[in-house]
Amino acid sequence: MQDLKAKYLSAIANAADESALEDVRLAALGKKGEISALMATLGKMEADQRKVTGAALNLLKDEIDAALRAKKAALGDAALDERLRSEWLDVTLPARPRRMGTIHPVSQVMEELTAIFADMGFAVAEGPQVESDWYNFDALNIPPEHPARQEHDTFFMHRAPDDTRPPHVLRTHTSPVQIRAMTEQGAPIRVIAPGRVYRMDMDQTHTPMFHQVEGLAIDRNISMANLKWCLEEFCRAFFEVPSVELRFRASHFPFTEPSAEVDIRCSWEGGQLKIGQGDKWMEILGSGMVHPKVLTAAGVDPTQWQGFAFGMGIDRIAMLKYGIPDLRAFFESDLRWLRHYGFAALDMPDLAGGLSG
Ligand code: DAH
C-alpha cells in the first residue's frame, strides 16, 4: 500500500494538465482501477484481515482522492493565470473615435432648453400626441365654436360612423400638457413640456409635424414680471450671447389673459442672422398669464393661484441659433444634412460645461 500511495501521489504531482490527471484518477480509483480492484478482494478475506486491510485501503483511497482534488484546483488556477496573462487588455488606452451618427439639431435644442429651464427649477412634463378634444381645446378655453379651432388646422383621428363623441386629434400644440400636469400635480407647479405637435400645413416655413416647448409656472404671486425675467434669462443662455432684448407685444390667446407675443431683437447681415443686436425683430413665442378658466379646468383654484405660460417653436429657435435656412430639411433624414448640422453624440449640453460645445 505504501508503494501504491507513493506511485499515485507522484503521478498526481507530475500530471501536466487536467486530462493527464483524469487518467491517473481512472487508473487508481476508476471502476477498473488498481485500488478498486483491491477493494474487490476484501470480500474473500477473513474477518480480521478484512477489517485491517479495508481500513487501510479506505485511508489510501481518501488520500489519493484528496491529492487529486488539490491538484485539480491547482491546475485550474494555473489555467486561469495563463489566460489572464495572455488575454490582458489595457483599458486605460484612449478610445479610437468611431462614428456613431449625430444628434439631430431638434434633439440638441431640446436638451439645451431642458438644461436651462431645469436650472431655473422647471421639471419636464409629457403628454400624449394623440390627444382628446377636451385637453387640446375645451380645457384651454377653446369651446367647440371658437374660431381658434379653425386656425389650428387640426388632424382628426378616425371614429366609427355611429360614435357621436368628438374625435381625438393629433395635438395641435403642447398646451394640453399644462392641463395634464396641473391635474396630476396641482399647484404650485413649474414645468416645461417639449414635444411634437401637428397641423395640416406644408410650405417653406411649415411642416405637418413640428416641435414646441410649453412652459408653465403657477404659484401664489407669479406675475408678468417673472415671465419676462424667465424668458430673457432663457434667451441669453440659449443663444449664448451676453444680452438680449425682447419685445412684448399685446396679443390674444384663449388660454391666457393678458397675452403677449414675444419678439427678439436681431439683425440680418450678409444673409447671416445675429441675435441680440440690430434693428429687426423676430417672433419666437406666445405667452401670458394663465386664464382662470384654464386653472379651474385643471382643478386649480384661481382665487389662490396664478401664473404664466408660454409656447415656443423649437424648430424655429434651432434654425435661428444654428443658422439652418430650410425647415423642411429637418425632417428629410438626409444623412449629408445630418452630418453637417448634427451634433456629436454623448456631448450632453449643460450650463456649466457650455451648451453647444
Ligand atoms: N399654444 C399656442 C400655439 O400653439 C402657443 C402659446 C401661446 C402657448 C400662449 C402658451 C401661451 O402657453 O401662453 O400657438
Side-chain angles (χ1 to χ4, degrees):
M1 267 187 218
Q2 286 304 324
D3 289 350
L4 279 179
K5 179 173 166 181
K7 173 174 143 191
Y8 282 115
L9 289 186
S10 94
I12 290 168
N14 291 332
D17 55 32
E18 296 196 34
S19 92
L21 191 65
E22 178 65 4
D23 290 344
V24 177
R25 189 186 72 79
L26 288 172
L29 306 178
K31 268 203 192 112
K32 295 180 179 151
E34 207 167 358
I35 292 170
S36 310
L38 284 174
M39 292 283 210
T41 65
L42 288 174
K44 290 183 194 126
M45 291 179 189
E46 297 294 323
D48 285 354
Q49 198 192 356
R50 186 194 309 145
K51 205 170 163 192
V52 177
T53 315
L57 273 177
N58 271 326
L59 187 67
L60 175 63
K61 195 179 142 194
D62 289 348
E63 281 174 331
I64 292 178
D65 193 50
L68 281 166
R69 285 174 195 279
K71 179 69 178 187
K72 187 166 177 158
L75 285 173
D77 287 350
L80 182 61
D81 283 347
E82 178 52 31
R83 256 190 81 191
L84 289 174
R85 228 189 333 274
S86 62
E87 294 179 8
W88 74 277
L89 168 77
D90 184 352
V91 295
T92 65
L93 282 174
R96 286 194 201 99
R98 178 143 49 110
R99 218 172 216 304
M100 294 202 292
T102 58
I103 301 296
H104 194 284
V106 169
S107 303
Q108 170 76 16
V109 164
M110 283 196 190
E111 295 294 346
E112 291 181 17
L113 59 88
T114 302
I116 297 168
F117 281 110
D119 198 55
M120 293 192 246
F122 286 77
V124 173
E126 286 179 319
Q129 295 174 43
V130 175
E131 188 54 284
S132 79
D133 182 82
W134 188 82
Y135 277 112
N136 197 78
F137 294 121
D138 298 74
L140 290 160
N141 195 30
I142 315 175
E145 300 314 321
H146 197 287
R149 289 210 179 200
Q150 271 68 60
E151 287 159 26
H152 276 217
D153 304 315
T154 312
F155 285 109
F156 294 96
M157 305 300 289
H158 182 71
R159 271 253 192 258
D162 56 347
D163 191 336
T164 53
R165 293 172 300 168
H168 279 51
V169 301
L170 288 180
R171 68 178 180 195
T172 58
H173 50 177
T174 43
S175 301
V177 186
Q178 287 185 35
I179 308 295
R180 290 182 173 274
M182 280 191 283
T183 307
E184 278 162 28
Q185 300 172 36
I189 187 171
R190 228 185 287 173
V191 289
I192 57 165
R196 292 181 171 175
V197 299
Y198 302 83
R199 291 187 199 176
M200 227 181 302
D201 210 348
M202 182 73 174
D203 59 32
Q204 204 179 348
T205 53
H206 296 89
T207 49
M209 186 280 295
F210 58 106
H211 300 84
Q212 287 188 335
V213 58
E214 197 76 12
L216 175 72
I218 304 289
D219 210 320
R220 299 205 181 264
N221 297 309
I222 291 195
S223 71
M224 288 289 278
N226 300 119
L227 169 68
K228 195 156 184 267
W229 182 85
C230 271
L231 292 176
E232 275 167 0
E233 195 63 17
F234 167 75
C235 289
R236 217 173 41 69
F238 177 74
F239 290 108
E240 302 179 66
V241 291
S243 71
V244 291
E245 202 182 327
L246 296 186
R247 182 170 75 174
F248 283 65
R249 259 184 306 107
S251 180
H252 176 266
F253 300 102
F255 29 88
T256 44
E257 181 58 41
S259 305
E261 280 175 301
V262 177
D263 307 329
I264 188 165
R265 187 185 281 283
C266 61
S267 69
W268 281 102
E269 276 162 26
Q272 185 70 33
L273 186 72
K274 281 214 178 73
I275 296 293
Q277 49 187 290
D279 54 5
K280 297 266 187 300
W281 294 95
M282 175 89 65
E283 184 192 321
I284 54 168
L285 62 94
S287 65
M289 296 300 291
V290 178
H291 197 290
K293 283 189 180 171
V294 173
L295 295 175
T296 305
V300 170
D301 181 355
T303 66
Q304 299 293 317
W305 306 97
Q306 63 180 33
F308 66 73
F310 61 83
M312 185 160 45
I314 290 182
D315 316 274
R316 174 48 92 74
I317 61 171
M319 293 169 77
L320 286 180
K321 178 167 179 180
Y322 293 111
I324 307 173
D326 186 0
L327 174 69
R328 284 174 298 191
F330 271 59
F331 309 116
E332 281 169 358
S333 303
D334 183 331
L335 282 177
R336 291 162 305 175
W337 186 90
L338 286 167
R339 265 182 220 122
H340 183 77
Y341 287 110
F343 292 81
L346 308 179
D347 231 6
M348 294 301 278
D350 76 83
L351 285 183
L355 279 181
S356 53

Coordinates of all heavy atoms in Angstrom, one line a residue, residues 152 172-175 178 199 212 214-215 253 255-256 260 286-288 309-312, ligand 1:
H152 N -56.3 76.2 -36.1 CA -55.3 75.2 -35.8 C -55.1 74.1 -36.8 O -54.2 73.3 -36.7 CB -55.7 74.5 -34.4 CG -55.2 75.3 -33.2 ND1 -54.7 74.8 -32.1 CD2 -55.0 76.7 -33.1 CE1 -54.3 75.7 -31.3 NE2 -54.5 76.9 -31.8
T172 N -52.4 69.8 -31.5 CA -52.0 71.0 -32.3 C -51.1 71.9 -31.6 O -50.5 72.8 -32.3 CB -53.3 71.8 -32.8 OG1 -53.9 72.2 -31.6 CG2 -54.2 70.9 -33.6
H173 N -50.9 71.7 -30.4 CA -49.9 72.5 -29.6 C -49.5 71.7 -28.3 O -50.2 70.7 -28.0 CB -50.4 73.9 -29.3 CG -51.8 73.9 -28.7 ND1 -52.4 75.1 -28.3 CD2 -52.7 72.9 -28.4 CE1 -53.6 74.8 -27.8 NE2 -53.8 73.5 -27.9
T174 N -48.5 72.1 -27.6 CA -48.1 71.4 -26.4 C -49.0 71.9 -25.2 O -48.8 71.4 -24.1 CB -46.6 71.6 -26.1 OG1 -46.2 72.9 -26.3 CG2 -45.8 70.7 -26.9
S175 N -49.8 72.9 -25.4 CA -50.6 73.5 -24.3 C -51.4 72.5 -23.5 O -51.6 72.6 -22.3 CB -51.5 74.6 -24.8 OG -50.7 75.6 -25.3
Q178 N -50.2 71.4 -20.2 CA -50.4 72.3 -19.0 C -51.5 71.7 -18.1 O -51.4 71.5 -16.9 CB -50.9 73.7 -19.4 CG -49.9 74.6 -20.0 CD -50.6 75.9 -20.3 OE1 -51.4 76.4 -19.5 NE2 -50.2 76.6 -21.4
R199 N -50.0 70.0 -37.4 CA -51.0 70.9 -38.1 C -51.0 70.6 -39.6 O -49.9 70.4 -40.1 CB -50.8 72.4 -37.8 CG -51.1 72.7 -36.3 CD -51.0 74.2 -36.1 NE -50.8 74.4 -34.6 CZ -50.7 75.6 -34.1 NH1 -50.7 76.7 -34.8 NH2 -50.5 75.7 -32.8
Q212 N -42.8 72.0 -30.3 CA -43.0 73.2 -29.4 C -42.4 72.8 -28.1 O -42.3 71.7 -27.7 CB -44.5 73.5 -29.3 CG -45.1 74.1 -30.5 CD -46.5 74.6 -30.2 OE1 -47.2 74.1 -29.3 NE2 -47.0 75.6 -30.9
E214 N -43.7 74.0 -24.2 CA -44.6 74.7 -23.4 C -43.9 75.0 -22.1 O -43.1 74.2 -21.6 CB -45.8 73.8 -23.1 CG -47.1 74.5 -22.6 CD -47.8 75.3 -23.7 OE1 -47.4 75.0 -24.9 OE2 -48.6 76.1 -23.4
G215 N -44.2 76.2 -21.5 CA -43.7 76.5 -20.1 C -44.9 76.8 -19.2 O -45.9 77.4 -19.7
F253 N -54.7 85.1 -26.8 CA -54.8 83.6 -26.8 C -56.0 83.3 -25.9 O -56.1 83.9 -24.8 CB -53.6 82.9 -26.3 CG -52.3 83.2 -27.2 CD1 -51.4 84.1 -26.7 CD2 -52.2 82.6 -28.4 CE1 -50.3 84.4 -27.5 CE2 -51.0 82.8 -29.2 CZ -50.1 83.7 -28.7
F255 N -56.3 81.0 -23.9 CA -55.9 80.3 -22.6 C -55.1 81.3 -21.7 O -54.6 80.9 -20.6 CB -55.1 79.0 -22.8 CG -54.4 79.0 -24.1 CD1 -53.1 79.4 -24.2 CD2 -55.1 78.5 -25.3 CE1 -52.5 79.4 -25.5 CE2 -54.4 78.4 -26.5 CZ -53.1 78.9 -26.6
T256 N -54.8 82.5 -22.1 CA -54.1 83.4 -21.3 C -54.8 84.8 -21.3 O -55.4 85.2 -22.3 CB -52.6 83.6 -21.8 OG1 -52.7 83.8 -23.2 CG2 -51.8 82.5 -21.4
A260 N -49.3 87.9 -24.5 CA -48.3 88.7 -25.2 C -47.6 87.8 -26.2 O -47.3 86.6 -25.9 CB -47.3 89.3 -24.2
G286 N -45.5 82.7 -27.9 CA -46.7 83.3 -27.4 C -46.7 83.0 -25.9 O -46.1 82.0 -25.4
S287 N -47.3 83.9 -25.1 CA -47.2 83.7 -23.7 C -48.4 84.5 -23.0 O -49.1 85.2 -23.7 CB -45.9 84.2 -23.2 OG -45.8 85.6 -23.4
G288 N -48.4 84.4 -21.7 CA -49.4 85.2 -21.0 C -49.6 84.7 -19.6 O -49.0 83.7 -19.2
A309 N -47.7 81.2 -18.6 CA -47.5 80.1 -19.5 C -46.9 80.7 -20.8 O -47.1 81.8 -21.1 CB -48.7 79.3 -19.8
F310 N -46.1 79.8 -21.5 CA -45.7 80.2 -22.8 C -45.6 79.0 -23.7 O -45.5 77.9 -23.3 CB -44.3 81.0 -22.7 CG -43.2 80.2 -22.2 CD1 -42.5 79.3 -23.0 CD2 -42.9 80.2 -20.8 CE1 -41.4 78.5 -22.5 CE2 -41.8 79.5 -20.3 CZ -41.1 78.6 -21.1
G311 N -45.6 79.3 -25.0 CA -45.4 78.2 -26.0 C -44.4 78.7 -27.1 O -44.7 79.8 -27.7
M312 N -43.4 77.9 -27.3 CA -42.3 78.4 -28.2 C -42.1 77.3 -29.3 O -42.1 76.1 -29.0 CB -41.1 78.6 -27.4 CG -39.9 79.2 -28.1 SD -38.7 79.9 -26.9 CE -38.6 78.7 -25.6
Ligands
DAH1 N1 -50.4 77.1 -27.9 C1 -50.0 78.3 -28.6 C2 -49.9 77.9 -30.1 O1 -49.6 76.8 -30.4 C3 -48.8 78.9 -28.1 C4 -49.0 79.5 -26.8 C5 -49.4 80.8 -26.6 C6 -48.8 78.8 -25.6 C7 -49.5 81.4 -25.4 C8 -49.0 79.3 -24.4 C9 -49.3 80.7 -24.3 O2 -48.8 78.6 -23.2 O3 -49.5 81.2 -23.0 O4 -49.9 78.7 -30.9

